[in-house]
């Protein structure tokens, strides 16, 4: 019994160990992935082969070995024995590519043991990082500082704090801007390691000349010490227009946050926003418009924002930007349609884009902004756009023509007085290859004939002219009903009969030559059967 119990306990322990390994493998596979690398699915080298490559004096072999090792780590292969090999044979190398791969390796490896405590080898890693933070090459310093932003182990970061602070005053801007980011990341995760972080960064901000470094410093104050950011902005409010665009974007976000928290500060910052509309950066102009709409509902502010959106719509060639701007105009239209009605002709210019999504969204906005004041100009534009599609084939062109016809139909229903200008143009498309467009046109014609008796003469004349070009049976059916219903006078009836007769062809009606032969053969066969 004792041996049996001992065996059972041994099997239970081995089962638990196997499950623990499985869970460890799963946890390695399910960790947050902070970088992606190409991985060759061929058979990977084993640890001995990797060791030989890492111990080689050829830097290119070390580079390939490090790439393979990082890929294996990302795919769940822990390989803990390789850590000391890397520290011994890769860390002493000064090759920049190896330095960068080394930082990636530090990022993906497990830095703690099963008990959650930091591995002893991390002392050597920490020493290597300290040396790189004091390296004479600014590229290595900057890359190391950027790597520290991703570290979440306070025990590794704590000995590096003095060196990070020294890098805030480095002569090279690349090092300073990454040092500010490192301070920001450390203060955000472990504020007790850098309790004076906001003070240090504020000092950097006040004396810094590099645009990216100033932006990083101001961004940290914005998130970590908003009072300092507001104070700095208040002292330099008149100079915001001269700042770089990346810093102006952070300023606009801060203004939005300040005014939402304290609406009484609105008047103080609105002037600053209005001055930024003259910025050469389209991103700043777009953000200005968004902030202004969010903070103010006055007609002047909305008009300024709408003007900015319309300018971006006409000046930008990127279709994605056009779609985003059109979405903002749609949002603006829901509450401030009167302001946008003044700009409808500028918005319609977006129909010049070849993208169907942009055209569709533009027509949707246009239909909601049409009023008696602008219906004439809008109809003229739509009429020209329809005429442009005439004689052009292609799936996109056909779909665009259908959208235009639909828009004209809806506009004419709302404003019937404008129908007389577009009906003759639309009737040229009764023979369109797209049956949907042709059906919509003939239904529109039927509606006009029913609603406006004074237009019947000219519309029926045009219908009789275009009738021979009709190819669709659905369209022909409606057109025949219209001819029979609205040809009232003797002249119209005679013209209608003449048109129908010409469309039917010469009498008597006979099948084609091949059809005649087939009919004769069928008759002969049929007659022979009856005789039998």
């Amino acid at each position: 019994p004792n041996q049996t119990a001992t065996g059972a306990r041994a099997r239970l322990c081995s089962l638990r160990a196997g499950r623990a390994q499985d869970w460890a493998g799963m946890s390695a596979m399910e960790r947050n992935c902070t970088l992606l690398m190409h991985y060759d699915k061929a058979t990977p080298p084993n640890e001995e082969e990797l060791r030989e490559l890492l111990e080689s004096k050829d830097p290119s072999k070390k580079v390939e070995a490090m790439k393979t090792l990082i890929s294996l780590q990302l795919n769940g292969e822990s390989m803990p024995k390789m850590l000391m090999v890397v520290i011994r044979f890769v860390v002493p190398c000064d090759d920049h590519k190896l330095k960068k791969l080394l930082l990636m390796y530090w990022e993906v490896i497990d830095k703690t043991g099963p008990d959650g405590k930091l591995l002893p080898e991390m002392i050597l890693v920490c020493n290597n990082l300290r040396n790189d933070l004091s390296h004479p090459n600014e590229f290595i310093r900057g890359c190391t500082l950027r790597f520290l932003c991703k570290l979440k182990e306070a025990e590794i970061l704590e000995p590096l704090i003095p060196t990070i602070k020294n890098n805030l005053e480095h002569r090279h801007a690349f090092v300073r801007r990454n040092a500010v980011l490192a301070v920001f990341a450390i203060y955000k995760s472990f504020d007790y390691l850098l309790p004076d972080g906001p003070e240090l960064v504020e000092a950097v901000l006040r004396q810094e000349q590099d645009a990216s470094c100033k932006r990083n410093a101001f961004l940290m104050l914005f998130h970590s010490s908003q009072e300092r950011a507001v104070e700095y902005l208040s002292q330099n409010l008149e100079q915001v227009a001269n700042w770089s665009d990346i810093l102006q974007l952070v300023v606009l976000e801060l203004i939005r946050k300040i005014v939402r928290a304290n609406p009484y500060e609105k008047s103080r910052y609105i002037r600053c926003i209005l001055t930024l509309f003259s910025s050469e950066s389209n991103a700043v102009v777009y953000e200005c418009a968004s902030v202004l709409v969010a903070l103010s509902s006055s007609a002047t502010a909305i008009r300024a924002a709408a003007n900015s959106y319309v300018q971006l719509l006409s000046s930008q060639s990127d279709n994605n930007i056009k779609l985003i701007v059109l979405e903002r105009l749609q949002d603006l239209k829901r509450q401030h349609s009167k302001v946008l009605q003044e700009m409808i002709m500028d918005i319609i210019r977006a129909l010049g884009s070849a993208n169907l999504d942009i055209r569709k969204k533009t027509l949707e906005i246009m239909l909601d902004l049409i009023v008696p004041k602008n219906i004439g100009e809008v109809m003229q534009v739509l009429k020209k756009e329809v005429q442009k599609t005439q004689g052009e084939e292609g799936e996109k062109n056909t779909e665009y023509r259908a959208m235009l016809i639909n828009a004209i139909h809806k506009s004419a229903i709302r404003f019937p007085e404008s129908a007389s200008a577009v009906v003759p143009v639309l009737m040229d498309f009764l023979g369109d290859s797209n049956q949907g467009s042709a059906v919509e046109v003939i239904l529109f014609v039927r509606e006009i004939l029913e609603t406006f008796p004074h237009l019947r003469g000219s519309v029926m004349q045009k219908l009789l002219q275009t009738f021979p070009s009709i190819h669709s049976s659905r369209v022909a059916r409606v057109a025949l009903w219209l001819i029979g219903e609205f040809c009232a006078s003797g002249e119209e009836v005679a013209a209608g009969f003449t048109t129908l007769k010409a469309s039917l062809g010469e009498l008597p009606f006979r099948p084609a030559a091949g059809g005649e032969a087939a009919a004769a053969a069928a008759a002969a066969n049929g007659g022979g059967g009856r005789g039998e």
Side-chain angles (χ1 to χ4, degrees):
N2 291 337
Q3 291 178 355
T4 305
T6 304
R9 280 196 296 271
R11 287 194 298 273
L12 182 61
C13 289
S14 63
L15 181 62
R16 286 177 177 172
R19 286 182 177 177
Q21 288 178 357
D22 291 342
W23 278 108
M26 288 177 65
S27 63
M29 290 291 289
E30 293 174 0
R31 282 200 307 266
N32 291 333
C33 182
T34 54
L35 62 94
L36 294 174
M37 288 185 68
H38 171 71
Y39 177 63
D40 188 0
K41 292 186 178 180
T43 305
N46 55 37
E47 290 192 15
E48 289 301 322
E49 292 172 342
L50 282 174
R51 183 191 298 272
E52 289 178 8
L53 291 171
L54 291 172
E55 291 177 359
S56 170
K57 294 182 180 180
D58 186 357
S60 61
K61 292 183 179 180
K62 290 179 184 285
V63 166
E64 290 303 317
M66 286 299 296
K67 287 182 178 180
T68 305
L69 188 57
I70 293 169
S71 300
L72 291 171
Q73 288 281 345
L74 290 172
N75 284 275
E77 298 287 341
S78 57
M79 293 193 174
K81 295 180 181 178
M82 301 305 297
L83 178 57
M84 272 314 295
V85 178
V86 170
I87 292 173
R88 287 178 58 197
F89 297 102
V90 180
V91 167
C93 295
D94 286 331
D95 185 79
H96 285 193
K97 199 166 187 179
L98 275 175
K99 287 284 185 185
K100 196 167 184 179
L101 288 170
L102 199 57
L103 293 176
M104 293 180 183
Y105 180 67
W106 299 148
E107 185 179 341
V108 300
I109 61 169
D110 289 321
K111 302 170 189 66
T112 55
D115 55 355
K117 294 182 179 179
L118 204 66
L119 293 173
E121 294 88 345
M122 288 299 113
I123 298 173
L124 300 173
V125 173
C126 183
N127 188 48
N128 169 247
L129 292 173
R130 188 189 295 111
N131 293 336
D132 285 347
L133 288 173
S134 304
H135 200 280
N137 185 285
E138 61 272 4
F139 173 77
I140 293 176
R141 283 200 189 203
C143 290
T144 308
L145 286 164
R146 179 61 67 92
F147 162 71
L148 295 182
C149 299
K150 304 174 185 178
L151 274 184
K152 300 301 177 185
E153 286 77 22
E155 296 90 339
I156 298 177
L157 292 169
E158 188 173 5
L160 305 176
I161 296 299
T163 318
I164 295 171
K165 289 182 179 180
N166 293 336
N167 281 302
L168 289 171
E169 301 174 358
H170 193 271
R171 60 181 176 80
H172 204 286
F174 177 71
V175 177
R176 294 198 302 274
R177 77 176 69 125
N178 284 293
V180 170
L181 288 177
V183 170
F184 180 20
I186 294 170
Y187 185 81
K188 187 177 178 181
S189 301
F190 312 102
D191 55 349
Y192 59 89
L193 294 179
L194 264 171
D196 57 342
E199 297 176 19
L200 293 170
V201 172
E202 185 181 10
V204 171
L205 179 61
R206 293 189 179 280
Q207 62 186 10
E208 186 57 59
Q209 300 299 320
D210 181 71
S212 297
C213 193
K214 287 186 74 170
R215 179 257 181 195
N216 292 348
F218 191 79
L219 187 66
M220 177 186 169
L221 295 182
F222 170 50
H223 288 288
S224 303
S225 181
Q226 190 172 313
E227 299 80 10
R228 295 177 187 272
V230 172
E231 182 184 354
Y232 179 79
L233 179 60
S234 302
Q235 293 172 358
N236 298 275
L237 203 57
E238 300 299 324
Q239 302 173 18
V240 172
N242 300 322
W243 289 353
S244 64
D245 55 347
I246 54 176
L247 184 54
Q248 287 172 346
L249 290 172
V250 184
V251 167
L252 287 168
E253 188 60 33
L254 177 62
I255 290 174
R256 188 201 297 255
K257 194 171 182 180
I258 293 170
V259 175
R260 280 183 175 175
N262 186 6
Y264 295 106
E265 296 281 345
K266 184 190 298 183
S267 59
R268 182 181 181 186
Y269 294 106
I270 288 292
R271 187 183 301 172
C272 175
I273 297 173
L274 293 174
T275 58
L276 290 178
F277 272 112
S278 59
S279 172
E280 296 180 359
S281 169
N282 292 321
V284 173
V285 173
Y286 174 81
E287 195 62 29
C288 278
S290 301
V291 172
L292 201 58
V293 169
L295 301 184
S296 177
S297 57
S298 68
T300 305
I302 299 301
R303 191 171 287 106
N307 273 323
S308 299
Y309 285 143
V310 170
Q311 287 174 10
L312 289 172
L313 190 61
S314 60
S315 64
Q316 294 300 306
S317 58
D318 191 319
N319 289 336
N320 293 319
I321 296 176
K322 286 180 180 288
L323 286 170
I324 292 170
V325 171
L326 285 169
E327 286 177 3
R328 298 287 78 78
L329 286 171
Q330 273 188 325
D331 295 339
L332 210 57
K333 174 196 59 155
R334 294 188 183 99
Q335 296 180 341
H336 308 282
S337 58
K338 290 184 178 179
V339 175
L340 289 183
Q341 285 167 6
E342 305 168 6
M343 307 175 186
I344 186 169
M345 298 309 295
D346 296 319
I347 296 172
I348 288 181
R349 288 178 188 169
L351 291 175
S353 171
N355 186 278
L356 283 178
D357 292 328
I358 293 173
R359 287 171 164 176
K360 183 178 179 181
K361 204 172 284 289
T362 303
L363 290 171
E364 289 174 358
I365 296 172
M366 179 209 71
L367 287 172
D368 292 333
L369 297 178
I370 293 176
V371 291
K373 184 179 178 181
N374 57 36
I375 181 63
E377 293 178 317
V378 171
M379 280 299 195
Q380 287 299 321
V381 172
L382 294 179
K383 180 179 174 182
K384 289 178 181 177
E385 288 294 317
V386 169
Q387 288 173 336
K388 285 180 187 177
T389 65
Q390 205 164 10
E392 297 180 11
E393 295 302 326
E395 186 177 346
K396 287 188 177 181
N397 190 64
T398 305
E399 190 174 347
Y400 179 46
R401 187 187 306 149
M403 289 192 294
L404 287 170
I405 291 170
N406 182 263
I408 292 173
H409 188 178
K410 290 180 179 178
S411 304
I413 291 172
R414 288 176 57 193
F415 303 97
E417 64 277 4
S418 65
S420 59
V422 293
V423 169
V425 177
L426 288 184
M427 290 180 72
D428 290 332
F429 295 98
L430 286 174
D432 194 70
S433 57
N434 185 352
Q435 184 176 334
S437 300
V439 169
E440 184 149 7
V441 170
I442 196 65
L443 293 178
F444 178 42
V445 171
R446 185 182 69 181
E447 199 167 345
I448 295 299
L449 290 171
E450 288 275 3
T451 313
F452 304 104
H454 64 282
L455 296 177
R456 287 176 183 172
S458 59
V459 172
M460 286 306 302
Q461 185 179 358
K462 181 70 175 177
L463 178 60
L464 292 174
Q465 290 175 4
T466 56
F467 186 83
S469 65
I470 295 175
H471 304 295
S472 169
S473 59
R474 290 182 61 190
V475 178
R477 190 161 58 242
V478 179
L480 287 170
W481 183 85
L482 293 176
I483 292 172
E485 183 71 18
F486 294 104
C487 286
S489 66
E491 294 179 359
E492 291 176 345
V493 171
F497 270 111
T498 302
T499 301
L500 293 176
K501 186 177 178 181
S503 299
L504 288 171
E506 296 181 1
L507 294 174
F509 299 137
R510 292 178 180 177
E516 286 183 4
N525 292 336
R530 284 192 299 271
E532 292 174 2

